[in-house]
Amino acid sequence: RIVNSFNDGLLVIDPNNYRVISANDSALEQLKLNKDDLIGKNCYEVTHHRSTPCTPPNDVCPMQEMLITGKPVVVEHQHFDQENRRLDVEVSVHPVRDKDGKIVQVVHLDRDITIRKDLERDEKAKSDEIRAIVDGIGDLLFVMDKNRVITRVNKATCDAFKKKPEELLGKHCYEIVHGADRPWVGCP
């Protein structure tokens, strides 16, 4: 009852062969599997639809790292349910030790973060679109704060001054435009 009260998917895994020993109801629901389709299978088969363990750089296996360090590990992964629907998850793995301190099982918790990751992807797409629009403007464009410190420039500005954005950001506009150490007298 306790492990089935978790909203997070919980798998117990044999660290010697990656086989799932046990799972809570949330894990079954997340992966759209029944116990017979999950227990005894390799974790990477049921969560990634792979035939081999996860490998860097795209899929770091948290269990491998945990076995090296002996400490819990947290990573973000993309898992896939039985219908091949993507689930963004935060995976945390925790060692279960025997009386001699040897790791004999691994507790693997999956927290569904799909909504948060979808929002992050949407925000990045909007930001990329705005950046493309700003960079598409042929006129020089400076965005400045109230102290005339440059916070954003477009591509035309960088091209005109033959500088990279990071060489312009944080500087005062009068330094860049007029080569001065104070605001220009007729500054708009």
Side-chain angles (χ1 to χ4, degrees):
R1 283 192 349 236
I2 292 172
V3 295
N4 281 326
S5 70
F6 296 167
N7 286 331
D8 297 338
L10 183 145
L11 303 175
V12 178
I13 300 171
D14 183 334
N16 298 308
N17 56 20
Y18 300 89
R19 297 223 188 275
V20 177
I21 300 166
S22 183
N24 72 352
D25 291 343
S26 291
L28 297 171
E29 187 178 320
Q30 263 186 5
L31 297 169
K32 297 191 181 337
L33 293 169
N34 61 47
K35 279 196 177 193
D36 292 338
D37 294 328
L38 181 60
I39 305 303
K41 300 284 191 311
N42 293 322
C43 58
Y44 49 83
E45 288 178 277
V46 294
T47 60
H48 292 274
H49 301 182
R50 296 174 58 126
S51 58
T52 58
C54 298
T55 55
N58 296 330
D59 292 318
V60 174
C61 177
M63 195 164 72
Q64 289 173 358
E65 187 175 333
M66 185 219 57
L67 290 170
I68 292 168
T69 65
K71 297 181 184 199
V73 173
V74 178
V75 298
E76 289 184 2
H77 266 216
Q78 286 189 342
H79 286 178
F80 297 90
D81 67 16
Q82 187 62 22
E83 298 165 357
N84 220 31
R85 185 177 65 97
R86 186 196 81 237
L87 298 164
D88 290 299
V89 291
E90 179 183 84
V91 176
S92 63
V93 293
H94 306 269
V96 177
R97 300 176 187 276
D98 66 10
K99 62 180 175 52
D100 298 322
K102 181 182 176 203
I103 298 172
V104 293
Q105 293 179 337
V106 176
V107 174
H108 177 284
L109 292 168
D110 290 347
R111 174 160 292 156
D112 188 343
I113 58 170
T114 304
I115 293 171
R116 183 184 91 205
K117 295 304 280 186
D118 285 345
L119 290 171
E120 288 173 5
R121 280 187 280 275
D122 289 347
E123 190 62 34
K124 184 180 180 326
K126 288 176 189 172
S127 178
D128 290 348
E129 181 181 17
I130 290 168
R131 186 177 302 108
I133 291 168
V134 167
D135 281 342
I137 297 171
D139 294 330
L140 305 187
L141 178 74
F142 292 88
V143 177
M144 296 174 277
D145 68 14
K146 65 182 180 181
N147 298 315
R148 298 183 183 107
V149 174
I150 300 169
T151 60
R152 186 168 189 160
V153 292
N154 69 348
K155 183 178 181 322
T157 301
C158 293
D159 291 347
F161 289 99
K162 296 180 177 30
K163 296 199 180 280
K164 295 178 181 174
E166 54 271 15
E167 295 175 280
L168 300 171
L169 301 179
K171 306 256 192 226
H172 292 94
C173 62
Y174 49 81
E175 293 175 80
I176 302 301
V177 176
H178 303 289
D181 61 357
R182 62 182 66 99
W184 180 48
V185 174
C187 178

